[in-house]
Amino acid sequence: MIVSLHVATGGAAGALTRSRTAALLLGPVLHAVGDAIPHRDIPSRAFEVGSGVACAAALLGRYGPLSPVTIGALAASAPDLEHVLPRISERELFPSHRFRGWHREGGVPAWAQLAVAGAILALLLRRG
């Protein structure tokens, strides 16, 4: 899945559970589940990183660093750090990143993932 959708689903889990611990534990599980769905990625790493950081920053600004929403968003997107951190990016450590069969034709298009991420984030950012 694209990074912004990982951020959005993790944030949603934090909002639903209202628990920092649950959000922290569910984040990597949600990441793996998202990666298991056949999908297409955005070919631009710069866009992936930039949009993921922007989405996480928006939730951080809205909820603060200790909110279950922020913790869930960061926990669900953290496995993708291995794609951008030097030394770590040479090896795929997170289990769902090792199987390339999920990135194939006919999977959920990147634009649809981006639309769903935007809708989830819009709900989280306007919540009272």
Side-chain angles (χ1 to χ4, degrees):
M1 287 290 160
I2 63 173
V3 178
S4 56
L5 188 52
H6 287 309
V7 170
T9 56
L16 291 171
T17 64
R18 298 181 188 174
S19 164
R20 294 179 193 146
T21 303
L24 185 63
L25 295 174
L26 282 172
V29 173
L30 288 170
H31 187 99
V33 169
D35 282 352
I37 297 168
H39 62 280
R40 313 280 308 273
D41 287 326
I42 293 175
S44 169
R45 181 168 292 194
F47 181 84
E48 279 273 21
V49 171
S51 63
V53 168
C55 293
L59 293 176
L60 175 66
R62 170 72 173 85
Y63 291 96
L66 299 178
S67 165
V69 173
T70 304
I71 291 169
L74 295 176
S77 59
D80 280 341
L81 288 173
E82 75 179 28
H83 297 308
V84 294
L85 295 175
R87 292 175 141 175
I88 293 175
S89 61
E90 298 160 8
R91 299 179 347 162
E92 292 183 324
L93 304 173
F94 196 70
S96 67
H97 292 165
R98 293 186 204 133
F99 183 63
R100 293 283 175 219
W102 293 323
H103 300 87
R104 61 179 179 254
E105 286 289 322
V108 179
W111 67 263
Q113 296 173 62
L114 198 56
V116 171
I120 293 169
L121 289 165
L123 287 171
L124 290 172
L125 292 171
R126 63 177 262 190
R127 230 173 133 198

